[in-house]
Every structure is written in C-alpha cells, then in structure tokens.
Amino acid sequence: MATPHIAGIAALIKQKHPDWSPAAITSAMMTTANFTATPGVPILAQQKNKLSPATPFDFGAGSVNPSKPIDLGLIFDTYFKHYVQFLCTVPGVDDMSVRRAVGVGCPSKKTDWCSDLNTTSVTVSNLVGSKKVTRRVTNVGELDGKYTVLVREPFGVNISVRPQVFKISINTSRHITLFLVATQTANSYTFGEMVFEGNNNHVVRVPIDVYVSSTLGF
C-alpha cells in the first residue's frame, strides 16, 4: 500500500491509542492485514511477464484493513533498546560501530539471534538444522483472553510452538517460543504463518519466512 494510506491509518490508530509506540502501531496494522485480494483469491504479482500468486516478499503482511487495527487483542511491541540489541547481533557489527550509529553501545547481555527482535513477523535467513525463536505478545484488548496458536509450516521446516494454548490478562505480556527444525533443503525462501485465534473474536496473523541452508547441524 502507498505511504499516504499507511500514514493515515497509523494516525487513526494513534488517535485511538495515544500511548502506543510506533512498533505497536505497526504490529496492529500487520497482524490484521488482508492477505488475499478477496476471500479465497490470492494477491498477484508481476513475475517474468506474467501474473503469479504473490509471496510475503511482494506484499509483506498483506493489504491493511483500516478498521481492524482499532480493536485487536495482541500486539508485538519493540523499543529502542531492543533495536540496539538487534544491531549488536548482526554479524560483523561491533560495539564501536553501534555506538557511532545510535549513541549507545551494546548491552553486556546480548541476545543470541537477529531473529529474536520482537517484530510482527518471523524471518530465519539461514536455518541449519534447528533453531529457537522467541516473541513477546501483549494483550491490549479490553478483556482477558485465551488464545490457540496455529502454524502453517513453510516447506522443508517443522515448527512447534510453546505454549500452543495460553491465557493472558489485560495489559500483560508473555513469551512465545518457536522451535524450527529443517527437514528438507529448499535453496530458497519458503513461507508460512503463525495465527493466534482468541476467544474474543480476535485473530492475529504473523508471516513466517525461512531459508533452509541445511538439515544438518543439530
């Protein structure tokens, strides 16, 4: 979608939730986006002079629905310190370069993987054998919620999620852990999704993108 559309929808969300961070607003738009053109019809992309079903690399999380982000259950929030931690896990980036870029150095305790940044998507660019990825969800709904987590696995990857069913109170957060195991080398990115279905008619969708480099390395 065009920048003016996104900016306008973000302004509406900010008016409804003035205390939300930019990451929270982004999460609200992404997790409630439409990932089909119309019900059951895929979004298309121009590829090699023909139209083919699009992937998340074409449309991201989908086409933003202006009304859904106003009332939702869960968000993935991220703050400045989390982005600094992310930079510090990027291969080849040292404390001095981070300090020059953002004004602060790396924390004494670093996260293990770039993919652990609490974004509203899961991307693993080099899966070798197995990997654990964590996310933190926050209940911004008006009621306590109970959620069931469903996963559509990318090709060549087995994914388990813990917990698969959980309860979460208003204004509280909890961690979700994904365990990815490579089952077949794809030599390209493959796509799936993680969906949180809530008992208050809230549905939260998270794209998953994985590049399986090798099934070895356990």
Side-chain angles (χ1 to χ4, degrees):
M1 297 182 70
T3 300
H5 296 131
I6 297 299
I9 296 169
L12 291 175
I13 299 172
K14 188 68 174 178
Q15 184 178 32
K16 175 70 174 181
H17 304 283
D19 57 331
W20 279 16
S21 69
I25 293 173
T26 300
S27 175
M29 289 190 288
M30 289 181 63
T31 59
T32 57
N34 299 322
F35 56 96
T36 57
T38 58
V41 178
I43 297 174
L44 300 178
Q46 184 78 33
Q47 297 177 353
K48 296 181 179 179
N49 299 320
K50 66 177 182 178
L51 291 176
S52 303
T55 73
F57 285 172
D58 298 305
F59 58 74
S63 177
V64 178
N65 186 315
S67 61
K68 286 186 178 180
I70 303 298
D71 175 29
L72 73 164
L74 303 176
I75 59 169
F76 297 76
D77 210 353
T78 308
Y79 297 97
F80 176 74
K81 66 177 182 180
H82 300 128
Y83 291 106
V84 174
Q85 291 173 337
F86 166 80
L87 290 174
C88 293
T89 61
V90 175
V93 175
D94 58 19
D95 181 85
M96 187 58 67
S97 59
V98 172
R99 191 177 297 276
R100 286 197 300 266
V102 299
V104 297
C106 294
S108 56
K109 182 179 180 182
K110 297 182 181 180
T111 57
D112 294 330
W113 303 102
C114 301
S115 52
D116 281 336
L117 180 65
N118 200 47
T119 56
T120 315
S121 62
V122 175
T123 298
V124 179
S125 59
N126 185 29
L127 179 60
V128 179
S130 63
K131 190 170 189 175
K132 181 178 73 173
V133 176
T134 60
R135 288 293 183 269
R136 187 187 68 257
V137 294
T138 302
N139 183 4
V140 294
E142 298 180 353
L143 299 170
D144 294 346
K146 180 179 180 180
Y147 286 85
T148 300
V149 186
L150 307 174
V151 175
R152 181 174 65 83
E153 298 170 330
F155 173 79
V157 185
N158 178 268
I159 300 177
S160 58
V161 179
R162 298 178 186 170
Q164 287 186 308
V165 179
F166 63 91
K167 294 181 180 179
I168 185 167
S169 302
I170 302 172
N171 296 323
T172 62
S173 302
R174 72 168 301 151
H175 284 87
I176 305 296
T177 304
L178 295 84
F179 298 91
L180 296 86
V181 177
T183 60
Q184 185 171 338
T185 303
N187 293 320
S188 64
Y189 277 96
T190 58
F191 307 98
E193 63 183 4
M194 176 171 59
V195 180
F196 297 77
E197 295 186 349
N199 62 326
N200 297 315
N201 295 320
H202 291 136
V203 177
V204 176
R205 179 178 172 273
V206 177
I208 300 175
D209 317 317
V210 182
Y211 191 108
V212 180
S213 299
S214 173
T215 58
L216 303 178
F218 291 91

